[in-house]
Each structure stands twice: as C-alpha cells, then as structure tokens.
Amino acid sequence: MVLNSLEKMIQLQKNTANIRNICVLAHVDHGKTTLADCLISSNGIISSRLAGKLRYMDSREDEQVRGITMKSSAISLHYAEGNDEYLINLIDSPGHVDFSSEVSTAVRICDGCIIVVDAVEGVCPQTQAVLRQAWLENIRPVLVINKIDRLIVELKFTPLEAYSHLKNILEQINALTGTLFTSKVLEERAERETECQVTPSSAQGEQVYDWSTGLEDTDDSHLYFSPEQGNVVFTSAIDGWGFGIEHFAKIYSQKIGIKKEVLLKTLWGNYYINMKAKKIMKADQAKGKKPLFVQLILENIWSLYDAVLKKDKEKIDKIVTSLGLKIGAREARHSDPKVQINAICSQWLPISHAVLAMVCQKLPSPLDISAERVEKLMCAGSQTFESLPPETQALKAAFMQCGSEDDAPVIIFVSKMFAVDAKALPQNKPRPLTQEEIAQRRERARRRHAEKLAAAQGQVNLEPKQDGSVPDSDTSPRAEEPEGDEQQAESLTPTPGPQEENNQECFIAFARVFSGVARRGKKMFVLGPKYSPVEFLRRVPSGFSTPPEDLPPVPHLACCTLDKLYLLMGRELEDLEEVPPGNVLGIGGLQDSVLKSATLCSLPSCPPFIPLSFEATPIVRVAIEPKHPSEMPQLVKGMKLLNQADPCVQILIQETGEHVLVTAGEVHLQRCLDDLTERFAKIQISVSEPIIPFRETITKPPKVDMVNEEIGKQQKVAVIHQTKEDQSRVPEGIQVDSDGLITMTTPNKLATLSVRAMPLPEEVTQILEESSDLIRAMEQLTSSISEGKNSEAVHQRTQEKILEFKGKLEQHLTGRKWRNMVDQIWSFGPRKCGPNILVNKSEDFEHSVWTGPTSKASKEASRFRDLGNSIVSGFQLATLSGPMCEEPLMGVCFVLEKWDLSRLEEPTASHRQNLEPGEQAKEEQVEAEPTSNGGEDRELHEDDHPEPCEKRTPQKGDSSLTDCYGPFSGQLIATMKEACRYALQVKPQRLMAAMYTCDIMATSDVLGRVYAVLSKREGRVLQEEMKEGTDMFIIKAVLPVAESFGFADEIRKRTSGLASPQLVFSHWEIIPSDPFWVPTTEEEYLHFGEKADSENQARKYMNAVRKRKGLYVEEKIVEHAEKQRTLSKNK
C-alpha cells in the first residue's frame, strides 16, 4: 500500500511516458465505482475494508442515497511495477443514460478506458453506447468482466458453465467492436471512391464493385478483447479479487514445468492438459476433458468459495497455508463469509494489481496519441485538416510530442465546469496548529473558564434561587471555544474574494493539458466553438505572432489567466504551481471566460476542438418560478450557475417570460432541481408539469374511415362538407381549390399569393433533420453571395457534401408531383434549417437554395429579391408555430404556385425615381427581421409566439409602399404566413409525438407486468429476446415522451425492482388519430355514437398544449348536467 505525498505526484507528472489517463465506462450498476474504490484503496487513500462500501468517488449526497454515479470525477493514483513508477489519472463516470453527457466529457480527456461488464447481465444497451463513444473519440479500451462471484453464489454455475457463459459475453463484445470497425472501414472506402470519381483515371475500364476488399486488407486483430492478448481481466470488485491470465501462467509454468509463453496462449480456449505427457492438446469435449481455464483457474476459485460458504474450517486453513497467506484472527473468526473471502482473495489475487498492470501495459500514454485523433480533434465542422492554415497544421507536431519546453505552445481542453464549495478549496482550509498555538489556546480557555466560574458564583450568591446558571457555566466554555477557533482560522486563511463571499460555489474547469506546460498566472486565449484561425488571419494582417495587447477584437476569441491549478483527488483538491503536458488538472478562476467547455491555447493559430458529442438529447422541459416572487433575481442567478455546472442542461427564457429548464430525463431533472434549491439559488421553487414538445404535420387523405369502411363518393362529399363546416375559420377573401390550393391577396389588394401544402415522405424529413448543420452552412453561403461579399472559396469537401445531400433528396422525391422540385427549393424552415421546405414555382422570379436568386428581367430583380425575403420570413413564421397548437411544423412542403405583383406596377409608376433607395432600405429592414427571429430565438423554445414580429414598422425609406395597412413588406409576411396556415388546414392535419426507445431487462416471471405497464402508457413492443444462459429477457419498445413520466418508478413498483427501463429519445412519430375527427357516415354513427365519447389521443394532447399556452379550447364545461339538490346541514 502506497500513501503518496503531493511532491511524489508532482514528480510523477513530469514523466509523460508513464502517465495513463483512463476512464471507467459501463452500464448502470455494473460496478464502476466499486472497482474505483478498490484501486483507490491500493494507494492508501481509503481503507481496503471499506472499498466497495464507501463509494469514495460518489461525493454527492444524492449519489450515495440513490446508489448511482451522477457526475464524472477524477483522482490521481500511483502504481509501481518493477522499477517503473506510473501515474494513473482515473476518471469514474456515470452509467445512467440521463448522465451520458458526463461520459462524453470524461472520454475526451482520456487516452484509454476500462469497459466494465457485469458477468451476469452481460452486454447492456449502455455498454454499447459507451463503447461507441470511446470508439468515436479514438481511445483504446480494455475489458473488465466484473461480479464473477454472482456466477458462483447467485446463479450457482459449475466452473464449466461459467466458462461458456464468459466466452459468450466476450463474443458479444467483440461482435460490437467488429460492427464499429466494419462501418468505419466501409466509410473510409466510400470516401476514397468519391475522391477517385472526382479525379477520373485515364483508364476508363468497366468497374467491378467489391465491398469486401477494404475489410480483407485491414488488420483488426488488435481491436478485439481476448484474455491471451492481456486486455481482459476477470474480477469481483466487491470481494476484492481479480486476475488476468498472466498471473496464473506465471504460477503454473513453475509448478507444471510448461513454458509461460505456451500457457499464455492456451489458458483461454479449448485446450486441455495431459498431465502424464506434460503436454497441452486441443480439447476434445467428448472425452469429458475440461479446458485449462476451468481446470487450473476457475475450479480453484470455486473450491475456495465452496469451503468458505460451507464454513469448512479445515479446508480453509489448508487453502490458506498452501497459498502462503496470512489471515488475521478477526477475519478468520468473522461470521460473515464475505469478509473471509475478501481477506483471502485480496491477498491471493489483488484486484488493483491485475487491473492497474493491464492499464499500464495495454493502454497508451499521452505520447502515443494517434495522428488520426489529433486531426479529428482539430477539424471542426465540415473542414478537412489540409484546408487549415500552415501555422495551424504545424501544431499537430506539438500535440504528438507533448513537449514541455518553454517555447512549446500550451494547448488545454476544458471538457466541463464543475461547482465546488468554496470551503473545500485548498487555500480556504485552515492549516494544522503548531504545539505552541495549541498550548496558547488551552491557556486562554482555562482563563475564560475560571472567569466564568467566578462570575457564576457571584451570581449564585446574589440570587440563590436561580439554579439554572450553574449548569450554564459548565457548558459555556465549550460553547465559547469555537469562537477562538474561528478567529484563529480567519487569521490563518486569506480572506476569500468577493465572488466567493456572495455565493459559496466556486467553479473549477475539468481539463487536460495536450501540449506545453500550464503555469499559474499564464495568459491564454479562450477559443469559442465558432472561432476560426482563417477569420483571425483576415482580421489581423500581421499574423498569429501579434502580441495580445495589440489585437483588434476578433469574434469568438477572448483572453484569460490561469489563476489556480489543482490536482484532482476525488473529493479533495491540491494546489499546484505548474502542470506538465499529458496531465488531467483542475483550473480555478475561469467561470467568467468559459461557459461549459472550451479550448485554451497560448497561440491564436489553434482551432477550437470539435464539440463534444452527446448521446442523450435533452427533451424533458419544465417551467420554474420562485415560491416568493421577490426572489426572482436569485432564481435567475442560480439558473445561470446551474447552466454552467451541467454539460447537458439547457436554460431558456420564453417569450411568455417563463424560465424553462431542459434536461435529459427524470433522474437528471430531479438532480438539477435539487442543485437549484440547495446549492445555486438556495430558494424554494415551484415546478410546472413537464412541458411535452409536439410537432404538427399533414398526411395523405385516408383511404378508409374510422370503422375501416372504404370511403366512397357520397361519404367523401359528406366528409368534405363536414370539414368545411368545421373550418368556418377560413375568412371570405380566400379562395380554396378542390386540390387544396389557397389563393390570398394582401390587405391593400396589390399582390396575390397561391400556396399549396404537401406532406413530405418520411425519408426526406429524416434526411433534413440529419443535415441541419449542412443546411445552416448553405444558408450562410448563399446569404454571403447575395450580399456581394467575396465569399471564401467553398472547400471541395463541403461542395461534395452539398451535392450528396441534393442527390439524396432527388432520390427520394420521385414521381410526377415532385418533378424538378429539388432544384426549386427556396428555403428550409423553421429557423432556416428545419425539416420543412418552401418550393418556388413562380415563373417571374426564380430563386433556389443551391444557386441563389436569378430572375429574367434585371429591373425587376431587386424588387423581387426584396419582396422574396418577406415571403421567406412569412414561411419561417408559419413553420415555427402551426395552426393546431402553435407547435413547430415537421415534414411539410409548401409550394408557392403563383405570385402576382402586376397591380403593384400601377401605383408605383409615379415613384419610379425614389424606388431604388426605398427598396434598399426595405431590404435591410426585411433582412433584419429574419435574423432577429432566427438568431436570438434559436435558444428559445418552440412554444414561442412570434406573431408580434409582424407588427414592426420600418423607420423610413418605405414611404413609397406604405399605406393604411402598414409597410408592404409586413403585409407580405402576414399574408404568406396566413396562406401557409390555411393551406395546412385544408389537408388532413396530424400531431407528431416525441418517442423514447425503451430497453427493459426483466426476468420471465415479471414479463406480463412489464407488458401491462407498457400497454397502459401507449407503448409498443418492437422485439423481445432471451439472453443466452440466463432467464433474463431484453425487451425493446417505443414509448411517447408524453406518457413516460413516472414510468420507471411504476415498472419498478409493479415488478418489485426486478425490471428497470432505460429511456433514450429516439424520433418523432405521427399519432394516427385525427384530432378534429367527428363521426360523419352511418356506420361511424352506429359504432361511435353521435358524440363519439371514446377519447381521441391526439385531441387530448392538442387541448392540453392549447390550455397550457392560453389558447382557445373548444370543450363543454358541463357534460351531463343534473339538477342539484341542496343538502341540509342537519342530517
């Protein structure tokens, strides 16, 4: 056991080759924190008896209560092997799906990871997720199969059964790795193919397409987990033992006399030993031979457990003496068999040695960072490494070398900010007292005590009846004593700064030094996620070597100072003066410069690292307000702090003034609310019911009615009449064609618009959702071209992506009605990057997302372009809040068929001279409107009501086209918005609900109850499969987010805790029922009755949202009125 001093740790930090930055990843409850406890106890930080019970890395109270980890926290450990000493920066991460964002923050600053898998449950959904995260960040994994004691004690497997079960688990994990590897190889190969197509070769031969070549050429043997490779360890963390095959190979090579190398290859696999010939042969199961792994390893462990559980004292003593161990008398006499097992095994097969030896041998040091990973980190967005400036490309060498020279660039990545109580900071802790100070205090206390006694006796003499004062004199010195302590402590510790006095939470950045030495007081640049070194060069002609004092303001670039550097030691922090490259550290004093994560660099030529990829999407929203309105400022301040402290949470303020908290799930929500009330705001708050997001869409007209009768001609007429009566809201001046074309004129009757709405195919909606970043990039590109800026040369890769995106759309939008539609796409919405399309079929003015505006007549070009912006703004507003319940639209295509401005010519002829400046001013006005909508509201929630936007009036220059109805551009926006809404209302409207995928592991006896809870909550089971070798079933289902609140608790209650679900946001799904449906045909009347009382799911959701937003809800207050009877009081 090694208890290390701070000096030792500082010395170890300097040897970069012997540093290992690792994180522990696993599904929830697979034993990550218990394993971390065992490794920490090997350093003497906690007692080995408490390892597994203390859960040292879970420092929050709610983590201890719930028994799950909720944040990633780091600790530095020392491990010596032979003459080599290693520094291991271990990060423990959560396994619960709600906190998967914490896993992303941990994975980014590591070079390797330990994947922990429960030997009973095997590979679970979250195991797949964390393995994928590790793969995406290019970090090397090793495997720990934990809880092997459960195979012996709970499942009562024989050693042979346990071996085949463990083999199964390994195969499952390797299959996962294989899938990830295959997809990567095929992606790379597809990229190479496209490059070859761009540069066609001279030999135009017939190409034979063979998918397998890429896979056959690449070697992937090093990726898989296999005990003979030394990257698998079998453990039982709660009992404190673990082993790799190497340990037993060493023992048996001496005992049996077979070479260690041979044993290493044969201890795992179907090999058996012929003791007479002392040879190892390929196993032949028919002869009843046991594999070496069973015979030499598992049977020994099983017999030890057997002896201890049966309390066979003789056998235990025999095992202990044969192993040459010493067991303390207390453990030997202890009644709990677990204590004896722990005492024997932790000496025989110490878990910390097995795991840490594997980490040091198999996982890379910071020096071994791969060139591929460096390039990936430095290339944000769609740019490639080659397109970066040469100074930036030169930084790759600094990454690879991890140089600690003075001239090496300092590059630090902050992956998250975490809040710490100001009292826990090293500078605020009182130092231990010296002997003299203790003697002085004792003397002072004695004197005070004597004075008190004297005073009390005098008082007793005066008032003999008052006997309460004497005991008072007894307790008073004790009560007084802490005061002296406090005074002393105050004089010893420096006074905290004003920031610490106001709120007791200090923010520390959880970071890693990738290059150079981080020194206290060093000035650094903070690079925001949108910072670009190319933009910097354009703004600063003198280049990257310009001193920070002379820099003009550059967007997304700020300066900061490294105030305090800390060594992270779990619950403790230690002060450091400098941190060499390759180390994990805490940085104090960045709360004003860094919000959640950032890249810090000493040179502005460094690009910001690619953003962290989060597996879970924040979807659960609640509105929050203080119980006492006067405490609103504390709430706002508290929410700002919470936003900074949690990597995944989102804080929004809606137009209604509500403060909304968006979290990843129920457990995450509960943690955020606890933090707000107890740590950040420290006030009582009231929380609304969860706000459930919906989307609105339209579908094709149904072929059958609600009783599955085919809709005939007569009935169809009836349905149309019925819907037309319902939609009496369509005002008079609007023409509706039979095929749903809406024609509408502006209030001043100068322009006429014809709009039709069509549902987009599901695949297209999905493509639009996935490509939102690309659409945003295209939007910026076209706007910069239309504004006449010299747009930077679009990189070839981006052009390829845009062409590929266009090709995908053309592939799915086929058929007569979609002909040439893709070329005529004018805009996407809402916020110019959403899953809805505006198509322009007008012949006067052609504008396409792909090419920008083009028009036939040059004189009219500017007018059409200006008014075109108004049309797009109207479309953006219409898609942001639909007619059913003001939720955003999804999967709708609006076609602008005609756009008649002929009447506009006549009144404007007289104003021909001053037309152009007026138009120009108006263009600026209209340009400002979409940006104020799109830019600021991006952070706002979909529930916003952006109508007030239309009522803005231009300041000047619009006189030529302003009349009593307001400026013409505003009229166009309003008309377009209304036309889009009416075009939607004449089609069959549907609501779309957000859906979770739900993974449930349950035993066969509670399967029925799980199904009951799912069906009650509108869930739909997709598949159910049994896990091999266990009685566990894995159920995959989808569940509406609206029905998911309290789902996990209900399932646990109904199944007595035997089943627990994992909910992850998956997709949007159309609710099949029509929210406006009323019975129209005879059969429907017979089946549903006149009132159709059976509850319509879509209508229920729609009315709930409308009520919440304060919109009109059409419902009867009293359904079945009865005459009321006045009850007399005297009964």
Side-chain angles (χ1 to χ4, degrees):
M1 195 178 285
V2 212
L3 187 54
N4 293 301
S5 62
L6 184 61
E7 289 74 32
K8 178 79 177 170
M9 288 296 186
I10 292 170
Q11 181 193 335
L12 287 171
Q13 281 190 338
K14 289 176 180 154
N15 183 3
T16 315
N18 283 3
I19 294 172
R20 299 287 182 272
N21 296 318
I22 58 163
C23 51
V24 190
L25 308 176
H27 187 80
V28 66
D29 279 340
H30 278 202
K32 294 177 294 300
T33 308
T34 307
L35 175 67
D37 266 8
C38 295
L39 303 183
I40 293 166
S41 72
S42 72
N43 271 228
I45 296 169
I46 61 172
S47 148
S48 56
R49 281 187 195 143
L50 289 175
K53 302 179 187 75
L54 189 63
R55 302 209 306 283
Y56 182 73
M57 299 298 268
D58 290 354
S59 51
R60 292 171 57 98
E61 192 182 336
D62 48 359
E63 287 181 313
Q64 291 286 352
V65 171
R66 279 183 186 266
I68 59 170
T69 308
M70 295 187 183
K71 53 155 189 7
S72 45
S73 40
I75 191 162
S76 296
L77 303 176
H78 165 243
Y79 174 68
E81 190 176 27
N83 297 327
D84 288 332
E85 292 193 274
Y86 293 93
L87 174 70
I88 293 169
N89 294 319
L90 177 80
I91 302 175
D92 183 28
S93 69
H96 196 287
V97 68
D98 282 12
F99 305 107
S100 60
S101 57
E102 293 278 348
V103 177
S104 307
T105 62
V107 167
R108 171 58 61 86
I109 57 180
C110 292
D111 301 304
C113 62
I114 300 175
I115 305 275
V116 183
V117 175
D118 185 328
V120 175
E121 291 184 8
V123 178
C124 293
Q126 203 57 21
T127 317
Q128 301 178 18
V130 293
L131 200 59
R132 187 166 60 250
Q133 274 176 307
W135 180 267
L136 289 173
E137 285 284 352
N138 279 26
I139 67 170
R140 195 179 302 166
V142 289
L143 180 65
V144 169
I145 298 183
N146 191 22
K147 303 196 184 185
I148 294 203
D149 58 298
R150 288 182 69 190
L151 300 179
I152 310 172
V153 182
E154 284 178 32
L155 300 184
K156 305 215 166 15
F157 277 1
T158 64
L160 198 58
E161 287 169 340
Y163 168 68
S164 63
H165 182 74
L166 292 171
K167 224 163 67 171
N168 264 347
I169 290 177
L170 260 181
E171 279 167 16
Q172 285 172 9
I173 291 198
N174 285 335
L176 266 180
T177 312
T179 319
L180 292 167
F181 171 73
T182 311
S183 62
K184 181 189 168 193
V185 169
L186 293 182
E187 263 174 39
E188 284 176 358
R189 187 148 181 278
E191 275 176 25
R192 279 202 298 277
E193 290 285 334
T194 51
E195 280 166 22
C196 296
Q197 284 165 11
V198 173
T199 55
S201 55
S202 53
Q204 288 290 325
E206 190 180 319
Q207 287 191 328
V208 181
Y209 209 67
D210 178 21
W211 277 107
S212 61
T213 51
L215 288 171
E216 283 167 5
D217 301 344
T218 41
D219 175 39
D220 57 348
S221 56
H222 62 283
L223 294 173
Y224 296 112
F225 300 109
S226 153
E228 63 261 30
Q229 276 192 26
N231 58 4
V232 180
V233 163
F234 303 93
T235 65
S236 165
I238 199 78
D239 287 343
W241 60 266
F243 64 88
I245 275 184
E246 204 174 311
H247 178 82
F248 281 99
K250 209 181 287 176
I251 297 172
Y252 284 116
S253 65
Q254 295 161 1
K255 274 197 175 181
I256 306 172
I258 296 175
K259 283 182 188 169
K260 184 183 164 190
E261 291 75 29
V262 177
L263 276 171
L264 270 176
K265 283 179 186 163
T266 53
L267 263 174
W268 180 263
N270 290 338
Y271 300 97
Y272 73 95
I273 191 163
N274 185 335
M275 290 305 273
K276 288 176 187 168
K278 296 226 168 164
K279 275 186 182 173
I280 290 174
M281 303 175 178
K282 216 48 180 129
D284 185 357
Q285 295 291 330
K287 292 179 184 170
K289 296 281 185 187
K290 294 171 188 164
L292 279 178
F293 188 75
V294 174
Q295 195 179 347
L296 300 183
I297 301 176
L298 292 187
E299 284 189 347
N300 290 326
I301 294 171
W302 256 247
S303 62
L304 169 64
Y305 267 81
D306 190 51
V308 174
L309 293 172
K310 287 182 179 167
K311 301 196 173 166
D312 186 344
K313 199 163 183 333
E314 288 174 20
K315 196 172 177 187
I316 295 171
D317 292 343
K318 192 178 168 189
I319 291 173
V320 169
T321 47
S322 67
L323 291 172
L325 309 175
K326 284 182 182 167
I327 302 299
R330 177 179 170 277
E331 280 85 3
R333 284 200 306 271
H334 206 288
S335 57
D336 184 3
K338 284 274 182 189
V339 173
Q340 284 184 316
I341 288 175
N342 198 326
I344 298 168
C345 292
S346 56
Q347 290 182 45
W348 174 36
L349 304 168
I351 184 172
S352 56
H353 175 75
V355 174
L356 294 178
M358 170 172 74
V359 163
C360 295
Q361 288 161 16
K362 297 293 165 193
L363 293 183
S365 75
L367 290 172
D368 303 330
I369 188 167
S370 66
E372 186 189 1
R373 186 179 180 202
V374 173
E375 288 182 18
K376 202 171 163 189
L377 282 177
M378 291 170 81
C379 299
S382 54
Q383 60 189 160
T384 55
F385 186 69
E386 289 73 33
S387 68
L388 295 168
E391 294 92 338
T392 304
Q393 293 191 33
L395 287 174
K396 181 179 168 183
F399 266 101
M400 306 289 285
Q401 288 160 3
C402 272
S404 52
E405 304 82 33
D406 287 344
D407 59 344
V410 183
I411 303 170
I412 301 173
F413 181 74
V414 175
S415 73
K416 68 166 185 171
M417 303 291 283
F418 63 97
V420 174
D421 195 344
K423 291 175 196 146
L425 296 176
Q427 66 265 27
N428 295 348
K429 282 184 184 168
R431 60 178 173 75
L433 300 170
T434 60
Q435 287 296 328
E436 293 82 33
E437 285 168 341
I438 293 171
Q440 280 173 3
R441 283 194 173 198
R442 198 182 297 125
E443 190 55 45
R444 215 179 306 146
R446 272 195 197 128
R447 207 177 305 131
R448 248 200 325 264
H449 187 63
E451 284 167 13
K452 283 270 170 85
L453 271 175
Q457 279 171 350
Q459 223 171 357
V460 168
N461 295 341
L462 292 170
E463 302 171 33
K465 283 177 191 173
Q466 263 189 356
D467 47 17
S469 55
V470 180
D472 192 39
S473 68
D474 233 17
T475 54
S476 56
R478 285 176 204 157
E480 285 282 326
E481 222 167 319
E483 278 183 25
D485 278 2
E486 282 159 22
Q487 285 170 357
Q488 190 74 9
E490 276 171 29
S491 62
L492 293 173
T493 57
T495 52
Q499 190 261 337
E500 291 165 7
E501 282 175 354
N502 297 343
N503 63 327
Q504 291 303 302
E505 298 294 330
C506 288
F507 279 95
I508 290 177
F510 189 61
R512 168 175 168 182
V513 186
F514 279 91
S515 159
V517 181
R519 290 191 172 84
R520 187 187 284 191
K522 185 168 177 62
K523 284 250 188 317
M524 301 284 281
F525 291 107
V526 181
L527 316 176
K530 292 181 183 172
Y531 170 74
S532 158
V534 183
E535 180 70 22
F536 180 90
L537 277 179
R538 194 180 300 132
R539 296 207 175 218
V540 185
S542 51
F544 291 123
S545 52
T546 317
E549 297 77 39
D550 307 338
L551 278 181
V554 178
H556 312 294
L557 180 72
C559 287
C560 72
T561 310
L562 303 180
D563 279 356
K564 296 266 191 307
L565 304 178
Y566 300 111
L567 176 69
L568 303 171
M569 290 297 289
R571 302 179 184 189
E572 306 290 322
L573 295 166
E574 299 289 349
D575 261 327
L576 295 174
E577 283 303 316
E578 62 174 45
V579 180
N583 282 291
V584 173
L585 77 158
I587 306 173
L590 290 183
Q591 58 262 41
D592 300 329
S593 319
V594 177
L595 180 63
K596 296 190 181 203
S597 68
T599 312
L600 309 182
C601 186
S602 56
L603 297 173
S605 57
C606 179
F609 284 13
I610 56 168
L612 297 164
S613 61
F614 292 147
E615 286 277 320
T617 322
I619 191 86
V620 180
R621 299 164 176 267
V622 289
I624 292 178
E625 55 183 35
K627 282 264 170 73
H628 309 294
S630 59
E631 294 174 329
M632 197 67 191
Q634 286 103 298
L635 178 70
V636 173
K637 191 175 170 192
M639 287 181 89
K640 274 184 187 162
L641 294 174
L642 174 68
N643 187 28
Q644 193 165 15
D646 192 304
C648 188
V649 78
Q650 288 177 14
I651 307 286
L652 317 169
I653 299 176
Q654 291 180 199
E655 278 199 353
T656 52
E658 284 180 304
H659 288 70
V660 175
L661 187 68
V662 193
T663 59
E666 279 190 274
V667 184
H668 187 209
L669 173 65
Q670 196 51 54
R671 190 196 79 172
C672 290
L673 295 177
D674 289 348
D675 275 357
L676 257 185
T677 47
E678 289 161 24
R679 295 179 68 181
F680 299 130
K682 294 184 179 167
I683 56 168
Q684 288 184 318
I685 54 175
S686 50
V687 182
S688 74
E689 285 294 305
I691 300 169
I692 299 126
F694 288 98
R695 295 282 182 271
E696 299 183 24
T697 190
I698 51 174
T699 55
K700 290 175 184 166
K703 298 226 172 33
V704 293
D705 62 13
M706 291 292 281
V707 286
N708 294 338
E709 295 273 337
E710 198 165 332
I711 296 178
K713 289 274 183 262
Q714 307 83 4
Q715 289 157 317
K716 197 168 184 185
V717 172
V719 171
I720 288 172
H721 282 309
Q722 182 72 40
T723 47
K724 280 199 172 161
E725 281 166 29
D726 280 358
Q727 290 170 355
S728 53
R729 358 174 206 190
V730 178
E732 285 175 7
I734 295 169
Q735 298 166 19
V736 184
D737 289 9
S738 58
D739 62 345
L741 182 70
I742 295 279
T743 308
M744 205 174 165
T745 48
T746 52
N748 60 8
K749 305 283 187 285
L750 292 184
T752 308
L753 303 174
S754 298
V755 180
R756 174 184 283 116
M758 295 158 71
L760 284 171
E762 260 181 62
E763 300 83 15
V764 175
T765 312
Q766 209 170 341
I767 292 167
L768 291 174
E769 274 209 294
E770 286 163 5
S771 315
S772 60
D773 290 339
L774 186 64
I775 296 172
R776 210 172 276 137
M778 281 164 51
E779 180 62 40
Q780 286 166 356
L781 204 74
T782 46
S783 64
S784 65
I785 292 170
S786 60
E787 283 166 20
K789 287 183 188 169
N790 295 334
S791 65
E792 59 210 68
V794 186
H795 194 263
Q796 191 182 359
R797 178 84 179 276
T798 316
Q799 275 180 332
E800 282 169 21
K801 279 191 174 177
I802 291 174
L803 286 172
E804 185 191 344
F805 169 57
K806 189 177 177 184
K808 274 187 195 167
L809 290 181
E810 282 169 346
Q811 183 187 335
H812 290 292
L813 292 175
T814 51
R816 190 172 53 79
K817 63 173 181 176
W818 297 109
R819 193 173 298 141
N820 300 335
M821 281 277 200
V822 176
D823 292 324
Q824 295 170 336
I825 293 176
W826 188 356
S827 178
F828 299 95
R831 309 204 171 99
K832 300 203 172 179
C833 60
N836 303 289
I837 296 177
L838 174 63
V839 173
N840 175 24
K841 280 197 172 175
S842 163
E843 290 175 8
D844 304 318
F845 172 66
E846 292 169 12
H847 186 299
S848 161
V849 181
W850 320 106
T851 57
T854 53
S855 101
K856 293 177 182 174
S858 57
K859 277 197 173 183
E860 292 172 8
S862 64
R863 173 183 303 138
F864 273 117
R865 191 174 307 154
D866 303 341
L867 300 180
N869 286 329
S870 301
I871 297 278
V872 172
S873 299
F875 161 74
Q876 298 295 345
L877 289 176
T879 50
L880 194 61
S881 56
M884 276 199 283
C885 49
E886 304 285 335
E887 291 285 295
L889 301 184
M890 187 170 192
V892 181
C893 171
F894 290 105
V895 184
L896 184 63
E897 297 278 359
K898 283 206 300 290
W899 182 13
D900 182 16
L901 291 176
S902 53
R903 292 189 204 159
L904 188 62
E905 307 296 316
E906 302 151 16
T908 52
S910 56
H911 300 284
R912 192 61 71 186
Q913 279 91 23
N914 61 355
L915 177 66
E916 295 202 357
E919 289 287 5
Q920 218 164 345
K922 179 156 58 59
E923 178 174 7
E924 286 160 24
Q925 174 70 22
V926 176
E927 280 294 329
E929 279 176 3
T931 49
S932 65
N933 263 346
E936 282 187 342
D937 290 4
R938 189 155 298 156
E939 275 301 302
L940 295 177
H941 171 223
E942 289 95 45
D943 291 356
D944 317 341
H945 308 308
E947 281 91 344
C949 196
E950 302 152 15
K951 299 189 180 80
R952 293 181 194 160
T953 51
Q955 308 305 314
K956 56 182 177 183
D958 251 354
S959 55
S960 60
L961 283 173
T962 303
D963 48 33
C964 63
Y965 298 106
F968 185 61
S969 59
Q971 292 179 44
L972 261 184
I973 292 177
T975 308
M976 180 65 187
K977 180 190 166 192
E978 291 305 311
C980 288
R981 287 193 135 196
Y982 293 134
L984 273 179
Q985 287 175 333
V986 295
K987 293 287 169 99
Q989 291 173 269
R990 295 287 183 273
L991 266 187
M992 293 182 88
M995 302 298 274
Y996 276 137
T997 47
C998 169
D999 291 286
I1000 307 173
M1001 290 185 69
T1003 50
S1004 51
D1005 43 345
V1006 295
L1007 213 53
R1009 295 178 205 166
V1010 171
Y1011 275 83
V1013 176
L1014 272 170
S1015 59
K1016 174 184 158 192
R1017 290 174 173 263
E1018 310 281 332
R1020 195 173 72 248
V1021 176
L1022 302 178
Q1023 70 178 95
E1024 165 201 310
E1025 56 183 41
M1026 193 171 187
K1027 253 198 150 61
E1028 285 179 50
T1030 64
D1031 63 341
M1032 299 292 277
F1033 281 85
I1034 298 176
I1035 303 158
K1036 265 194 173 356
V1038 288
L1039 181 79
V1041 173
E1043 302 289 340
S1044 69
F1045 301 100
F1047 173 70
D1049 288 343
E1050 187 177 356
I1051 275 213
R1052 278 196 208 100
K1053 278 179 197 160
R1054 294 286 298 274
T1055 61
S1056 314
L1058 290 174
S1060 58
Q1062 276 229 305
L1063 299 171
V1064 185
F1065 174 68
S1066 157
H1067 63 284
W1068 295 92
E1069 195 172 280
I1070 295 178
I1071 302 172
S1073 51
D1074 178 1
F1076 299 112
W1077 179 81
V1078 283
T1080 51
T1081 65
E1082 203 171 323
E1083 286 85 356
E1084 286 177 344
Y1085 272 123
L1086 286 170
H1087 193 273
F1088 292 102
E1090 190 176 338
K1091 287 165 59 180
D1093 288 333
S1094 55
E1095 196 173 28
N1096 178 337
Q1097 193 67 27
R1099 192 175 185 82
K1100 189 178 86 175
Y1101 288 150
M1102 181 180 83
N1103 285 346
V1105 176
R1106 289 186 74 90
K1107 265 184 193 165
R1108 192 187 78 234
K1109 295 184 176 178
L1111 302 169
Y1112 170 67
V1113 178
E1114 196 177 312
E1115 60 180 352
K1116 292 176 185 167
I1117 305 300
V1118 179
E1119 281 286 322
H1120 306 288
E1122 290 176 0
K1123 188 180 175 191
Q1124 290 187 339
R1125 201 157 47 87
T1126 312
L1127 298 174
S1128 56
K1129 286 187 181 176
N1130 48 351
K1131 287 181 182 176

